[in-house]
Amino acid sequence: MKFVFVTGGVISGLGKGITASSIGRLLKCRGLNVSAIKIDPYLNIDAGTMNPFEHGEVYVLDDGGEVDLDLGNYERFLDINLTSNHNITTGKVYRSVIEKERTGEYLGKTVQIIPHITNEIKDCIRTVAEDSGADITIVELGGTVGDIESMPFLEAVRQMNAENKNDCIFIHTTLVPVMGSVGEQKTKPTQHSVKELRAIGIQPDIIVARGTDPLEESIKSKISLFCDVPIEAVLSAPDARTIYEVPMTLEAQGATDHILAKFGMGAPEADLSDWGHFLQRILEPKVEVRIACVGKYIDLADSYISHTEAFIHAGAELETRVGLQFVDSDDLLADGDHSQLQGVNGILVPGGFGNRGVEGKMVAVRYARENRIPFLGVCLGFQVATIEVARNVLGLDDANSTEFDPETPYPVVDLLPEQRGVKRMGATMRLGAQPIIVSNGSMANELYGKELITERHRHRYEVNPKFVERFEEAGWSFTGRSPDKVRMEIGELEGHPYFVASQFHPEFKSRPGDPSPLHLGLVMAAVEHSTLPRARQRVV
Ligand code: GLN
């Protein structure tokens, strides 16, 4: 078992996750079996209890794990399915050690960070790597070297290296800022951060230097000299046109040759043809559409990262650039103010929790429905679409979800029966991959090309089965249901070019070359919409 540890220095947000994913993809393109682990040094057991303002999107795995969004990057870049064990947090490690202390596993001993916590970390990493059967496991350490929280993790991986020198490689990502009017690339932050890493006992094998432009040769040699890394192991990672370009940039500098030589491993030449083809379709689109994403976490693009990626995958398939425009749903509340939606070719209402922003999303749904603008609703978006149809098509005034109005006369969206009495918040939603039967002849059936699908979930509420008949009579048909038929999973509005919504999150399974069918459907409909004469784009 080989490990590639990816650490970060200088500042956060350098794209360490993309570096880790890109290296993983490159190794995979050399015929190796690669897996990935993310270490998050916070005390939460998982990301499920954090809101997107804190942490970005909560990504959901097949097994129901609510994890860091970097696992989404790994799944997309490596085209693998991970389990929640691939996200190790301080919370999980401490919980396990404290549990062992209570059961007497360390009887007679003082339980300490070294060796008990560090041993637990090493065991977790090795077990996950072993279970995945990978030749090489990428382990990304969250945070920045020097943070108090990450110390036990760095100490643990230092020990792993000391125990098996030939099986571990360290990649350190840093920032090379440009200063002054002459635009000089500065290496000092990199030098300091490598010094900090060395003080912990870790010598990086490879340095990935982020910056706006490629590193100049003289800067590479300076970093090489001061940080004691061969010059061919100083890799430049300038700002990319798309994250999917990063593997190409790193490979052009011999990234995998260097890693494999260090491991003393042979591997076939890299086959990057599929990736290159996918990249080319992103970079050279033939048409462009505008899609509005109406949500409430719009300050951070990270909050809807899987949707953004799903649109890139769908766009690549259709040689279409999807211009995503984030709209704050609260801004739509002023009566009749649709200005932000004017001229868009499609509207997405993504998932969410809590009251704020819901009524604004309702405005967006109504606008899409009445003006025949292609629409996709996901999770909360599906529930909001259902409420909007109840209010404005069925005439059920004040229809709502009991999440937002427990006293509503028409609870068209209600708590899942098994959620009654659930008090604990962590990992208690309806989570992960669940089977869905898609009805023959529906739009969803056409897009998925099959009847039995599996998609990932994360919700506590659902369409109330008591109202289903009335909805279907009004043209809001539930074309996807759980196998026992009691759970509504997909809704489609009859007579609309594309008005589709799902209780599940199709964005989490979207991959390069295999886009989410419902996002693909939206982009296809948006392309169609963009070709309509201006006057026909608005019907009402
Ligand atoms: N708040 C809704 C629920 O719990 C929707 C959840 C979501 O969009 N992920 O059912």
Side-chain angles (χ1 to χ4, degrees), residues 351-353 378-380 383 403 458-461 505:
F353 294 83
V378 168
C379 205
L380 180 64
Q383 299 172 359
E403 180 180 4
R458 182 170 187 251
H459 64 123
R460 289 187 204 280
Y461 293 80
H505 291 267

Side-chain angles (χ1 to χ4, degrees), residues 360-406:
K361 291 178 182 176
M362 213 79 72
V363 172
V365 171
R366 182 170 194 170
Y367 183 80
R369 183 175 57 76
E370 294 184 338
N371 294 292
R372 300 173 63 77
I373 294 168
F375 165 78
L376 174 63
V378 168
C379 205
L380 180 64
F382 169 66
Q383 299 172 359
V384 171
T386 302
I387 298 165
E388 198 279 325
V389 171
R391 288 183 190 173
N392 302 320
V393 178
L394 290 177
L396 305 178
D397 288 346
D398 297 325
N400 215 330
S401 162
T402 52
E403 180 180 4
F404 314 124
D405 178 7

Side-chain angles (χ1 to χ4, degrees), residues 190-245:
T190 300
Q191 293 179 41
H192 276 295
S193 129
V194 168
K195 202 161 140 191
E196 193 138 22
L197 198 57
R198 282 165 148 183
I200 303 166
I202 295 170
Q203 164 64 38
D205 299 290
I206 293 175
I207 290 177
V208 174
R210 287 279 295 113
T212 45
D213 295 303
L215 285 186
E216 287 154 27
E217 251 345 268
S218 61
I219 300 297
K220 273 196 176 184
S221 34
K222 197 164 170 189
I223 292 177
S224 160
L225 181 68
F226 280 97
C227 302
D228 200 12
V229 169
I231 187 157
E232 62 277 12
V234 180
L235 306 178
S236 172
D239 288 349
R241 290 172 288 181
T242 151
I243 53 170
Y244 298 105
E245 195 176 21

Side-chain angles (χ1 to χ4, degrees), residues 42 97 192 204 383 389 410 437 455:
Y42 46 66
V97 168
H192 276 295
Q383 299 172 359
V389 171
Y410 304 109
I437 308 287
E455 289 281 13

Side-chain angles (χ1 to χ4, degrees), residues 245-381:
E245 195 176 21
V246 179
M248 299 308 204
T249 312
L250 297 179
E251 191 59 5
Q253 299 169 77
T256 50
D257 278 343
H258 195 73
I259 294 173
L260 295 173
K262 269 244 72 107
F263 280 145
M265 280 169 102
E269 279 294 297
D271 179 3
L272 285 164
S273 50
D274 283 354
W275 197 264
H277 185 62
F278 167 67
L279 180 62
Q280 190 190 346
R281 291 171 79 96
I282 297 176
L283 295 177
E284 291 160 25
K286 299 215 160 51
V287 276
E288 175 159 358
V289 293
R290 274 203 312 136
I291 291 182
C293 170
V294 181
K296 65 171 173 178
Y297 309 115
I298 57 151
D299 294 342
L300 295 161
D302 270 1
S303 305
Y304 301 115
I305 184 169
S306 291
H307 282 294
T308 307
E309 300 311 318
F311 282 123
I312 293 174
H313 307 158
E317 204 68 16
L318 302 167
E319 293 181 274
T320 300
R321 197 184 101 77
V322 178
L324 255 193
Q325 176 180 324
F326 292 95
V327 175
D328 188 337
S329 53
D330 278 346
D331 288 351
L332 301 176
L333 278 183
D335 231 7
D337 185 10
H338 298 132
S339 52
Q340 296 202 54
L341 299 177
Q342 292 290 321
V344 300
N345 309 114
I347 293 176
L348 166 77
V349 176
F353 294 83
N355 243 326
R356 192 177 71 76
V358 170
E359 291 300 322
K361 291 178 182 176
M362 213 79 72
V363 172
V365 171
R366 182 170 194 170
Y367 183 80
R369 183 175 57 76
E370 294 184 338
N371 294 292
R372 300 173 63 77
I373 294 168
F375 165 78
L376 174 63
V378 168
C379 205
L380 180 64

Side-chain angles (χ1 to χ4, degrees), residues 493-540:
L493 191 67
E494 284 163 25
H496 189 289
Y498 191 83
F499 190 100
V500 178
S502 65
Q503 182 58 74
F504 54 81
H505 291 267
E507 71 275 21
F508 292 142
K509 282 179 65 172
S510 189
R511 304 276 165 89
D514 188 14
S516 142
L518 299 188
H519 289 75
L520 188 72
L522 180 65
V523 178
M524 265 166 13
V527 171
E528 184 78 34
H529 181 270
S530 72
T531 63
L532 293 176
R534 210 72 182 132
R536 283 196 40 217
Q537 289 185 2
R538 275 205 71 181
V539 168
V540 176

